[in-house]
Amino acid sequence: MMIVIMDRTASLATINSVLRFVEDSGCTPHVSKGDEKTIIGVVGDDRALLSEKMQTMPGVEKVIQTAKPYRLVSREWKPENTVIDVNDIKIGGGDLTVIAGPCGVESETQLLEIAHAVKEAGASILRGGAFKPRTSPYSFQGLGERGLELLAKAREATGLAVITEVVTPNQVPLVSQYADILQIGARNSQNYSLLQEIGKLRKPVMLKRGMMSNLEEYLMAAEYILANGNYNVILCERGIRTFETSTRNTMDISAIPLLKSLSHLPMFADPSHATGKRSLVAPVAKAAVAAGADGLMIEVHNHPEKALSDGIQALLPESFAELMKDLKKLGLALNRQV
Ligand code: PEP
Ligand code: MN
């Protein structure tokens, strides 16, 4: 991997000549303009550039070669945290962003009731799947476009931003029309044609960690989206497969500070899918915040016993409101707004 750090005094013309040089060598430059310096990430086969003495070009302070396979997601390319603005919510900007809502959109009354409740409790983004990637083909698969319409309705009624999952590349244009943030689920985390399609957009996307992905594989999946030009990516730890069977997945808490040190992207945690148990959601949510998560994604249902998916891990609106109160206290201790 090659990353070119430009001198802080480098002029626009010198930067442009480096960009041209990279392009002439058949590579694609990706520019990261920091407060202090401009850093150029080189995507493509950079062997030709290595033999050219990139280091001696005017304006070039340093050329870094690292053994890491990822480039644009790395802190080397972008030392500052990425802050993603969604309707004035600054994701990754230091405050805690809470996404809450049902696993799936089931009906207008279900969604609106939950949306009002989570808004009241202090969430800023509403979740709800319209296209559900289910383990069983016989399970509820989501309401499809009707579900998207209901999410838009809930946004209008509450002012909450909306996140929803896109499952296949050909759904991307439709889901983009409705969602403020697109979600790529754990099962699709390494669906490279979907990642490429999402990469062509500029809309924010939350890429969940694949249940079998190690951190390098996960960051490489995010790299697909950035390499295609979409830098608005949010990471989310949602538990991984281990030998433990008493929880649905195993929350990899250390992935939170680790990914934050390796990458500039905002880092969320989903304690609902990580644990699969209602009683574990609040404690694991607090642990994730203490570990440095920029935000949480939490499943909430007004009638969990009737939920068409994941009722067993959904918090009741009252318990979610309690958790939000605790998170506010935790935020005070950590000097972060919740
Ligand atoms: C979800 O958030 O609705 C979901 C299906 O989660 P995951 O992809 O992490 O399993
Ligand atoms: Mn779910």
Side-chain angles (χ1 to χ4, degrees):
M1 154 166 96
M2 181 188 271
I3 283 171
V4 184
I5 301 179
M6 300 300 294
D7 194 276
R8 76 185 67 220
T9 59
S11 67
L12 201 57
T14 358
I15 294 171
N16 283 337
S17 64
V18 171
L19 296 180
R20 215 166 314 120
F21 183 69
V22 170
E23 278 163 354
D24 289 348
S25 313
C27 293
T28 309
H30 285 256
V31 179
S32 151
K33 250 190 174 359
D35 296 338
E36 293 229 322
K37 288 179 184 173
T38 295
I39 303 180
I40 302 166
V42 176
V43 170
D45 182 353
D46 56 19
R47 275 173 297 185
L49 283 168
L50 294 179
S51 56
E52 304 291 339
K53 296 198 179 67
M54 192 95 201
Q55 187 83 61
T56 63
M57 288 192 76
V60 172
E61 180 186 299
K62 205 162 42 173
V63 177
I64 303 180
Q65 293 286 341
T66 82
K68 290 176 189 158
Y70 43 85
R71 310 172 184 200
L72 306 180
V73 301
S74 75
R75 284 264 180 209
E76 281 87 356
W77 180 65
K78 188 169 183 286
E80 300 91 7
N81 290 332
T82 285
V83 181
I84 300 173
D85 194 316
V86 178
N87 307 349
D88 282 337
I89 306 159
K90 306 269 189 280
I91 297 173
D95 294 341
L96 188 80
T97 306
V98 179
I99 301 172
C103 181
V105 179
E106 299 170 3
S107 71
E108 181 166 345
T109 42
Q110 173 243 22
L111 188 66
L112 283 170
E113 206 174 306
I114 298 170
H116 283 293
V118 300
K119 159 99 185 181
E120 180 74 15
S124 51
I125 302 173
L126 175 67
R127 65 151 287 146
F131 294 97
K132 297 298 302 171
R134 303 305 301 282
T135 302
S136 164
Y138 309 119
S139 303
F140 173 60
Q141 303 283 315
L143 297 183
E145 187 164 5
R146 172 80 186 132
L148 298 174
E149 287 165 4
L150 293 177
L151 284 165
K153 205 163 193 173
R155 170 175 48 209
E156 205 164 300
T158 59
L160 292 166
V162 158
I163 180 171
T164 195
E165 179 161 353
V166 54
V167 179
T168 65
N170 64 8
Q171 284 167 0
V172 171
L174 175 71
V175 180
S176 305
Q177 279 175 37
Y178 291 92
D180 299 298
I181 306 172
L182 297 168
Q183 178 174 327
I184 300 182
R187 289 159 191 76
N188 260 327
S189 196
Q190 288 178 299
N191 179 341
Y192 299 115
S193 50
L194 180 60
L195 299 176
Q196 278 167 330
E197 208 52 40
I198 299 274
K200 294 181 195 152
L201 311 174
R202 295 298 170 266
K203 196 176 264 291
V205 49
M206 170 182 278
L207 174 65
K208 297 185 90 176
R209 179 180 180 183
M211 56 193 94
M212 306 290 265
S213 296
N214 66 30
L215 293 191
E216 188 168 297
E217 289 162 339
Y218 183 29
L219 286 172
M220 290 310 284
E223 185 82 18
Y224 262 88
I225 304 175
L226 275 81
N228 280 279
N230 188 351
Y231 302 153
N232 298 314
V233 176
I234 302 160
L235 301 174
C236 181
E237 167 61 45
R238 46 77 73 204
I240 50 174
R241 273 285 161 86
T242 68
F243 54 79
E244 184 54 69
T245 52
S246 53
T247 47
R248 181 174 178 180
N249 291 285
T250 297
M251 178 60 125
D252 184 3
I253 279 284
S254 55
I256 297 167
L258 208 43
L259 285 172
K260 282 199 69 71
S261 71
L262 296 172
S263 176
H264 52 86
L265 298 172
M267 181 70 215
F268 276 49
D270 171 351
S272 306
H273 292 90
T275 63
K277 284 192 172 147
R278 181 174 305 128
S279 64
L280 299 179
V281 170
V284 174
K286 291 175 208 167
V289 174
D294 294 293
L296 295 169
M297 170 175 263
I298 295 177
E299 287 188 343
V300 176
H301 203 289
N302 48 350
H303 299 290
E305 71 289 353
K306 290 194 204 141
L308 298 179
S309 59
D310 287 352
I312 198 159
Q313 69 196 31
L315 293 186
L316 282 161
E318 304 83 84
S319 321
F320 175 69
E322 275 305 306
L323 170 61
M324 288 301 288
K325 277 190 206 150
D326 283 353
L327 290 174
K328 283 191 172 75
K329 286 186 228 158
L330 187 56
L332 277 179
L334 297 169
N335 203 13
R336 301 178 62 192
Q337 290 262 347
V338 178

